Amino acid sequence: MGILTILIFLPLVFGVVILLMPKSLTAYFKYLTVAVSLAQLIIASWLFYQFKTGVNFAGVSNLSQYQWIEKLDWIRLDVGSFGTLQIDYLLGVDGFSIGLVWLSALVMLIAALSSWEIKTNLKGYFALFLLLDTAIIGVFCSLDLFLFYIFYELMLLPLYFLIGMWGGVRREYAAIKFFLYTLFGSIFMLLVIAGLYLSVTDPTTGNHTFNMVYAMNPANYSAGFILSAAANVQILGFSARSISFIVVFIAFAIKVPVFPFHTWLPDAHVEAPTPISIILAGILLKVGGYGIIRIAYGIFPEVAVSLSFWMGLLGVISIIYGAMNALAQRDLKRLIAYSSVSHMGFVLLGIASLTAEGLNGAMMQMISHGFLSVMLFFIVGVIYNRVHDRDIYNFRGLANQMPVFTGFVMIAFFASLGLPGFSAFIAEAFTLIGAFSSQAINGLLPRWMAMVAAFGILLGAGYLLWTLQRMFFGTLRLKKEEWQSQLKDLNFREILTLTPLAVLALVLGIMPSLVFNVMSSSVNQFLMLFK
Amino acid sequence: MEQFLNPYQLFLIAILAITAPFLAFILSLIFKKIAAALGILSISISLISSVILFLHLWKKQTLHYSFQWIHIGNVKIDVGILLNDLSVIMLVLISLIALLVHIYSVEYMRKEILKYRYFAYLSLFCFAMMCVVMADNFFILYAFWELVGFSSYLLIGFWFTKEKAVQANKKAMIMNRIGDIGFLIGIMIMLSQFHTLDIDALFGSGSLIDSSFVQNGLWVTPFSTMPGYWLSIAGFCFFAGAIAKSAQFPLHTWLPDAMEGPTAVSSLIHAATMVAAGVFLLLRIAPLFNDVVLVSMASIGLFTAFMAASIALTQNDIKKVLAFSTISQLGFMVLAVGVQDNAAAVFHLITHAFFKCLLFLGAGIVIHQLHHIKEKSNVDFDEQNMDNMGGLRKLMPITGIVFFIAAMALSGLPFTSGYLSKDAILVSVFEWADLRGGIFWLFPFVVSITSWLTTFYIFRVVYKVFFGKLRLEKVIAKTKEQMHIHDPNYWMTVPVIILAVFCFGVFFAYNPLNLDSSWVYHGFNLQQHNEGIYHLMVPLYINVMSLALIFLAHLIYAKKKISINFEQTWYYKLSYNQWYFNAFYDVFLMKMVLFKAQTFYWFDRNIIDGAVNFSGIFILRISKTADWFDRNIIDGLVNGSAWLVSRLGLWLRGMLSGKLQHYFIWMLILFLSFMIFKIVI
Amino acid sequence: MIPLQHFLFISAALFSLGLFAIITRKNAIQILMGIELMINASILNIVAFGKYDKIDNTGQVFGLFIIVLAAAAVAVALVIIMNLYKRVKTIDPNQTNLLKG
């Protein structure tokens, strides 16, 4: 049994353990969950530390260059003249996934630590939580499309219940909206996965295969099958590969989310309990970005190149549109949800630029936004848990009331608005540099896109500073008298949660090479697909 | 001077100069009690290091060390330090003024509970500012440029419970961000064109910028080609960054608002050092600018100088006057860069730093004293309003004298440092206009007027504050003896006296009346200055007129011999309301952006999400219809046929009467009807 | 020789008499007798047509068969009538509606 399998299924095992534990031990569920997440983070950190970099470990379209590969024959079904149905249990990580695996482990630990606020039906909550954990790590590690799809759908189920049962007032609406929206995207993706299966053969066994690494290599396509580039199959007058790309892109764009597929996000975030908001913002959105890179761009590179302008445009629109919407919010959590739309727009813009700078920037942005959004949602949770209100206008002058908290808020806000020294600045700057130089390097994105996107940073400063001024500065004024006694400064657990995030944002801002070194050879290899 | 230290040791000293304030920043937040001492100690170390660096590097060599930081694709971004003449002189300037302000702040902030934060932020600022002048590439420069803005944000909002202060720091940060976007776009253009951001490689000797040229509408560099207008755009983008930082029109309104911060901060950051960073940036990248950009730069500098001076004429808040004066003087520097007299710009930057810092510190002493009186008397009055001052010359003589010296320097009177640097700019503008002719004669015309306005407004302050009668006596109904207004203790007086000494021209020139004997000016002016008529005439006619204006101001504000009543005129109102820029920005632009944001949100809720919800509802409706159809039509058919059969059955059943003979009759009828049917068919 | 029509006329008359008896009589025995008349009318027809059959005497043979069957049917019918009488104490078909659906 490989290390990745342990990493993936460790939470599941303990989820079952929690289900089997008697009611009298309810109080220990959260400690067990934190322990499991911590163990997972330790394993993930060890993987990150041991991860070998360099040209020979680039991965991407070269299966042998992936690390910690685990391959088991899972389903072998003889389908007569059609050969053998081959579904593998295939795991492995490369430069694109290792960072996200580590991020997921970290975010799950933070989410577990912030699960203290959950008071009802703890057994169900933590069991679902650990199931979700398994699914998330599984998504980033699986290299077989079928396995990927299973983990991908497996994420939805616990999330649906976690939002729908432990959420806010309109939780059922939000949960069903989230579930249907994402499912809508992914079912069409299943068709494409089936199409890929029919077109791709395993060069070693000659069977049709779901292997996504083989699908990136045009040599593995059997000529004449639907998604083979040579066959040029037309569906309703469009090339089958273009349609497939768009379908897969939409499936992941919903997850990212990209304008105009973003509206599930504010509702889901606002209604979800804090730990689930953290998971949603910290990891779920990254699954979208990861999928766009690995599947949409990796498997359909020529379509991606031809549609790059539109991808970039969507990215720019998301940046500006999300920021403008954030500016209009009164609800702090909704504001942060919209700011996520804006920040994730940079990811799409960076990917669309198809330059080394842009892609590195996009990956960096995913990781950086990973813990910054976690921090922001945790901050909202701190206020909400104390007084059950999130309206910006109901608070003023919190800086005197909660000085330590305000310190962390300032770190989180200034890091998110791209203050140099924090990771978001490096990420956004590199994304913009990539988008700008794209015109000169490959001619995909016009220069004005980067210039317009830069104004997203300005708007980001606008809404965050405005919030800071309205909520934290000035003389203390709260909506209700009793809030003053309820709004206590951070306790030890909360400081313990926020500190590593703040430190990480700072460390990656000063030493971005920690992440860039791991990714860069994979990014270079990835860009070779588009040559 | 002999070289005692090798370059590597100098590099270590440079690192020491920036590490000391950074450590002070961290340690001040931990050891709150000794924050002030830590701040002073660290900045003293920086000053000593800076002086050592200055003595070794000035006019001798350039120190350039860099280390690999990020390498991605074509982009190689290193982190390193670049010390040339400009950097070292800025280092000395920053650390010297920062040290004086630190000392001054000990007394100024004595009663603040959170003063450890103040000193921590001040150290952070010093760290960032010194990194800005040392940075060897644009990326690092940009990073610390923003960090400088951030520490300024923290210090403006130091009294964070004051509503105006937090409004001001937000405004400062956002306006600076507007410029920073320009700066960032400029960086992207440079990186895309030259594949490097190293300032030395770009603008140093044998630089990349020299090897690029515009030909056939294309901007060609050794690496890449762009349409020619991108060269202008690049220039404008960097200039935008400088506009915001140096508070030039149209992004100047943050600086007067920034006066909400402690006065010591205003003096260090918003007068002497940070705002000069914009000019510093322009100087570092001066070779980039083409003619279009330079002329716009000169125009904006000129306009800002004039506008701000005209506003300063009527303001009653002493700090506001000084703030607009700063904007105006920064306009002069930008103008100097625009007319390509970089030496004059640097020179003015340095001299201005001393006398403007002194003006602010002097004003700070006055405000500090009045603030104490306000606290004791429990009467609410504005301690910054000059209408409450007057006659302080006799009560606080040291302050009065140093303020007077600084005012003379600002006016550019002979024997002061301002005389040398400001006249250098004026002369350059005259020569520049002479070279171009035509409409460009407007520049020397306006700049002369601005120069006279400067003299008038600063002496208006001097006479209103230090001469005449103490008007505060009427406000709080106490005599001046009861108020105990006096010069402050050594913590405050020593720094201002040191600064006052530096306002004299002898420190900058062997002959304080001759610009050409100035070592600072010559340090940067490499080409031989042509001795023209302007060198003699311009200082003469400017200063003669200035003296007349000082006399006029004396009559109006000190002696009250002349009283002029023009408060109802449109130009007074225009000036008093700061040309209505705030009204325009806050009311119009902010409202517009917020309205747009609301519109976007409406669009998102109703159109985008509306479409999602609509499709949800639409599908629900369809399913309702399908349900109805299913229940009534499809199931109706099934049920209907069953119903029909049962009806038929019942009817037929009615026929079976159980009477045997009826059956026979039926049989007969059926048989007969069958036969008839057969026969008929 | 007697022509075929004569046989058919008599047979029709017999059949009609039987039918009339079935429909009108109030006594089950009489209805049974009506049925017998109709059966005999049909036997007469078969025998009369049998003259023209290619195979000899088939008509007669069929006639005999039918007679035997009719006798058996009468026996069964009489038993039914007896049983009916036992149950409802009448043999008037109009008085019973046990067959009613």
Side-chain angles (χ1 to χ4, degrees), chain B residues 80-97:
Chain B
I81 59 168
L82 170 66
L83 289 173
N84 56 13
D85 294 348
L86 182 59
S87 309
V88 286
I89 201 160
M90 288 292 288
L91 273 182
V92 175
L93 176 79
I94 293 161
S95 48
L96 175 60
I97 291 184

PDB file of all heavy atoms in Angstrom, chain B residues 80-97:
ATOM      1  N   GLY B  80      18.463  42.500  -4.602  1.00  0.00           N
ATOM      2  CA  GLY B  80      19.801  43.015  -4.389  1.00  0.00           C
ATOM      3  C   GLY B  80      19.803  44.494  -4.111  1.00  0.00           C
ATOM      4  O   GLY B  80      18.752  45.133  -4.055  1.00  0.00           O
ATOM      5  N   ILE B  81      20.991  45.013  -3.893  1.00  0.00           N
ATOM      6  CA  ILE B  81      21.091  46.437  -3.614  1.00  0.00           C
ATOM      7  C   ILE B  81      21.947  47.098  -4.682  1.00  0.00           C
ATOM      8  O   ILE B  81      22.887  46.505  -5.231  1.00  0.00           O
ATOM      9  CB  ILE B  81      21.666  46.720  -2.215  1.00  0.00           C
ATOM     10  CG1 ILE B  81      23.060  46.114  -2.088  1.00  0.00           C
ATOM     11  CG2 ILE B  81      20.742  46.210  -1.151  1.00  0.00           C
ATOM     12  CD1 ILE B  81      23.774  46.597  -0.867  1.00  0.00           C
ATOM     13  N   LEU B  82      21.545  48.312  -4.989  1.00  0.00           N
ATOM     14  CA  LEU B  82      22.291  49.107  -5.956  1.00  0.00           C
ATOM     15  C   LEU B  82      22.537  50.456  -5.305  1.00  0.00           C
ATOM     16  O   LEU B  82      21.598  51.192  -5.019  1.00  0.00           O
ATOM     17  CB  LEU B  82      21.465  49.273  -7.241  1.00  0.00           C
ATOM     18  CG  LEU B  82      22.008  50.278  -8.250  1.00  0.00           C
ATOM     19  CD1 LEU B  82      23.330  49.793  -8.817  1.00  0.00           C
ATOM     20  CD2 LEU B  82      21.012  50.498  -9.360  1.00  0.00           C
ATOM     21  N   LEU B  83      23.797  50.747  -5.034  1.00  0.00           N
ATOM     22  CA  LEU B  83      24.106  52.022  -4.387  1.00  0.00           C
ATOM     23  C   LEU B  83      24.904  52.872  -5.349  1.00  0.00           C
ATOM     24  O   LEU B  83      26.062  52.588  -5.645  1.00  0.00           O
ATOM     25  CB  LEU B  83      24.896  51.787  -3.102  1.00  0.00           C
ATOM     26  CG  LEU B  83      24.108  51.181  -1.946  1.00  0.00           C
ATOM     27  CD1 LEU B  83      25.038  50.855  -0.806  1.00  0.00           C
ATOM     28  CD2 LEU B  83      23.021  52.122  -1.496  1.00  0.00           C
ATOM     29  N   ASN B  84      24.255  53.907  -5.842  1.00  0.00           N
ATOM     30  CA  ASN B  84      25.013  54.886  -6.621  1.00  0.00           C
ATOM     31  C   ASN B  84      24.929  56.227  -5.907  1.00  0.00           C
ATOM     32  O   ASN B  84      24.454  56.305  -4.778  1.00  0.00           O
ATOM     33  CB  ASN B  84      24.505  54.950  -8.059  1.00  0.00           C
ATOM     34  CG  ASN B  84      23.025  55.250  -8.116  1.00  0.00           C
ATOM     35  OD1 ASN B  84      22.437  55.644  -7.122  1.00  0.00           O
ATOM     36  ND2 ASN B  84      22.430  55.051  -9.273  1.00  0.00           N
ATOM     37  N   ASP B  85      25.343  57.286  -6.581  1.00  0.00           N
ATOM     38  CA  ASP B  85      25.388  58.596  -5.919  1.00  0.00           C
ATOM     39  C   ASP B  85      24.026  58.983  -5.369  1.00  0.00           C
ATOM     40  O   ASP B  85      23.889  59.454  -4.252  1.00  0.00           O
ATOM     41  CB  ASP B  85      25.864  59.654  -6.918  1.00  0.00           C
ATOM     42  CG  ASP B  85      27.292  59.402  -7.337  1.00  0.00           C
ATOM     43  OD1 ASP B  85      27.943  58.565  -6.681  1.00  0.00           O
ATOM     44  OD2 ASP B  85      27.734  60.021  -8.313  1.00  0.00           O
ATOM     45  N   LEU B  86      23.013  58.779  -6.206  1.00  0.00           N
ATOM     46  CA  LEU B  86      21.672  59.159  -5.790  1.00  0.00           C
ATOM     47  C   LEU B  86      21.245  58.389  -4.541  1.00  0.00           C
ATOM     48  O   LEU B  86      20.702  58.956  -3.587  1.00  0.00           O
ATOM     49  CB  LEU B  86      20.700  58.887  -6.956  1.00  0.00           C
ATOM     50  CG  LEU B  86      19.254  59.268  -6.747  1.00  0.00           C
ATOM     51  CD1 LEU B  86      19.129  60.742  -6.449  1.00  0.00           C
ATOM     52  CD2 LEU B  86      18.433  58.906  -7.964  1.00  0.00           C
ATOM     53  N   SER B  87      21.538  57.065  -4.539  1.00  0.00           N
ATOM     54  CA  SER B  87      21.112  56.252  -3.407  1.00  0.00           C
ATOM     55  C   SER B  87      21.794  56.683  -2.125  1.00  0.00           C
ATOM     56  O   SER B  87      21.155  56.809  -1.087  1.00  0.00           O
ATOM     57  CB  SER B  87      21.438  54.782  -3.651  1.00  0.00           C
ATOM     58  OG  SER B  87      20.955  54.385  -4.887  1.00  0.00           O
ATOM     59  N   VAL B  88      23.093  56.888  -2.183  1.00  0.00           N
ATOM     60  CA  VAL B  88      23.801  57.141  -0.925  1.00  0.00           C
ATOM     61  C   VAL B  88      23.387  58.476  -0.340  1.00  0.00           C
ATOM     62  O   VAL B  88      23.228  58.608   0.882  1.00  0.00           O
ATOM     63  CB  VAL B  88      25.336  57.045  -1.067  1.00  0.00           C
ATOM     64  CG1 VAL B  88      25.740  55.603  -1.198  1.00  0.00           C
ATOM     65  CG2 VAL B  88      25.854  57.871  -2.212  1.00  0.00           C
ATOM     66  N   ILE B  89      23.194  59.466  -1.200  1.00  0.00           N
ATOM     67  CA  ILE B  89      22.820  60.761  -0.637  1.00  0.00           C
ATOM     68  C   ILE B  89      21.414  60.693  -0.062  1.00  0.00           C
ATOM     69  O   ILE B  89      21.118  61.281   0.983  1.00  0.00           O
ATOM     70  CB  ILE B  89      22.992  61.893  -1.675  1.00  0.00           C
ATOM     71  CG1 ILE B  89      23.106  63.230  -0.941  1.00  0.00           C
ATOM     72  CG2 ILE B  89      21.855  61.927  -2.661  1.00  0.00           C
ATOM     73  CD1 ILE B  89      23.732  64.310  -1.780  1.00  0.00           C
ATOM     74  N   MET B  90      20.550  59.904  -0.710  1.00  0.00           N
ATOM     75  CA  MET B  90      19.205  59.726  -0.172  1.00  0.00           C
ATOM     76  C   MET B  90      19.257  58.979   1.159  1.00  0.00           C
ATOM     77  O   MET B  90      18.513  59.294   2.077  1.00  0.00           O
ATOM     78  CB  MET B  90      18.319  58.949  -1.161  1.00  0.00           C
ATOM     79  CG  MET B  90      17.899  59.711  -2.382  1.00  0.00           C
ATOM     80  SD  MET B  90      16.759  61.066  -2.047  1.00  0.00           S
ATOM     81  CE  MET B  90      15.275  60.194  -1.659  1.00  0.00           C
ATOM     82  N   LEU B  91      20.161  58.004   1.229  1.00  0.00           N
ATOM     83  CA  LEU B  91      20.292  57.241   2.476  1.00  0.00           C
ATOM     84  C   LEU B  91      20.651  58.142   3.637  1.00  0.00           C
ATOM     85  O   LEU B  91      20.051  58.084   4.705  1.00  0.00           O
ATOM     86  CB  LEU B  91      21.374  56.172   2.330  1.00  0.00           C
ATOM     87  CG  LEU B  91      20.996  54.823   1.759  1.00  0.00           C
ATOM     88  CD1 LEU B  91      22.223  53.928   1.761  1.00  0.00           C
ATOM     89  CD2 LEU B  91      19.906  54.210   2.584  1.00  0.00           C
ATOM     90  N   VAL B  92      21.635  58.995   3.401  1.00  0.00           N
ATOM     91  CA  VAL B  92      22.062  59.893   4.476  1.00  0.00           C
ATOM     92  C   VAL B  92      20.909  60.812   4.849  1.00  0.00           C
ATOM     93  O   VAL B  92      20.600  61.015   6.020  1.00  0.00           O
ATOM     94  CB  VAL B  92      23.290  60.703   4.030  1.00  0.00           C
ATOM     95  CG1 VAL B  92      23.655  61.723   5.082  1.00  0.00           C
ATOM     96  CG2 VAL B  92      24.445  59.771   3.765  1.00  0.00           C
ATOM     97  N   LEU B  93      20.260  61.344   3.824  1.00  0.00           N
ATOM     98  CA  LEU B  93      19.154  62.263   4.058  1.00  0.00           C
ATOM     99  C   LEU B  93      18.068  61.603   4.896  1.00  0.00           C
ATOM    100  O   LEU B  93      17.611  62.146   5.911  1.00  0.00           O
ATOM    101  CB  LEU B  93      18.585  62.705   2.704  1.00  0.00           C
ATOM    102  CG  LEU B  93      17.356  63.590   2.767  1.00  0.00           C
ATOM    103  CD1 LEU B  93      17.772  65.001   3.084  1.00  0.00           C
ATOM    104  CD2 LEU B  93      16.591  63.555   1.466  1.00  0.00           C
ATOM    105  N   ILE B  94      17.665  60.406   4.459  1.00  0.00           N
ATOM    106  CA  ILE B  94      16.562  59.728   5.140  1.00  0.00           C
ATOM    107  C   ILE B  94      16.933  59.414   6.576  1.00  0.00           C
ATOM    108  O   ILE B  94      16.189  59.712   7.506  1.00  0.00           O
ATOM    109  CB  ILE B  94      16.187  58.436   4.383  1.00  0.00           C
ATOM    110  CG1 ILE B  94      15.590  58.776   3.043  1.00  0.00           C
ATOM    111  CG2 ILE B  94      15.217  57.601   5.203  1.00  0.00           C
ATOM    112  CD1 ILE B  94      15.607  57.627   2.074  1.00  0.00           C
ATOM    113  N   SER B  95      18.126  58.847   6.758  1.00  0.00           N
ATOM    114  CA  SER B  95      18.456  58.411   8.114  1.00  0.00           C
ATOM    115  C   SER B  95      18.675  59.610   9.022  1.00  0.00           C
ATOM    116  O   SER B  95      18.303  59.573  10.196  1.00  0.00           O
ATOM    117  CB  SER B  95      19.669  57.478   8.107  1.00  0.00           C
ATOM    118  OG  SER B  95      20.691  58.040   7.333  1.00  0.00           O
ATOM    119  N   LEU B  96      19.233  60.683   8.470  1.00  0.00           N
ATOM    120  CA  LEU B  96      19.460  61.863   9.306  1.00  0.00           C
ATOM    121  C   LEU B  96      18.124  62.453   9.748  1.00  0.00           C
ATOM    122  O   LEU B  96      17.884  62.676  10.943  1.00  0.00           O
ATOM    123  CB  LEU B  96      20.284  62.900   8.525  1.00  0.00           C
ATOM    124  CG  LEU B  96      20.492  64.231   9.244  1.00  0.00           C
ATOM    125  CD1 LEU B  96      21.219  64.020  10.551  1.00  0.00           C
ATOM    126  CD2 LEU B  96      21.256  65.209   8.376  1.00  0.00           C
ATOM    127  N   ILE B  97      17.251  62.701   8.795  1.00  0.00           N
ATOM    128  CA  ILE B  97      15.973  63.318   9.158  1.00  0.00           C
ATOM    129  C   ILE B  97      15.167  62.376  10.038  1.00  0.00           C
ATOM    130  O   ILE B  97      14.537  62.797  11.016  1.00  0.00           O
ATOM    131  CB  ILE B  97      15.211  63.714   7.879  1.00  0.00           C
ATOM    132  CG1 ILE B  97      15.958  64.857   7.210  1.00  0.00           C
ATOM    133  CG2 ILE B  97      13.784  64.103   8.206  1.00  0.00           C
ATOM    134  CD1 ILE B  97      15.297  65.407   6.018  1.00  0.00           C
TER     135      ILE B  97
END
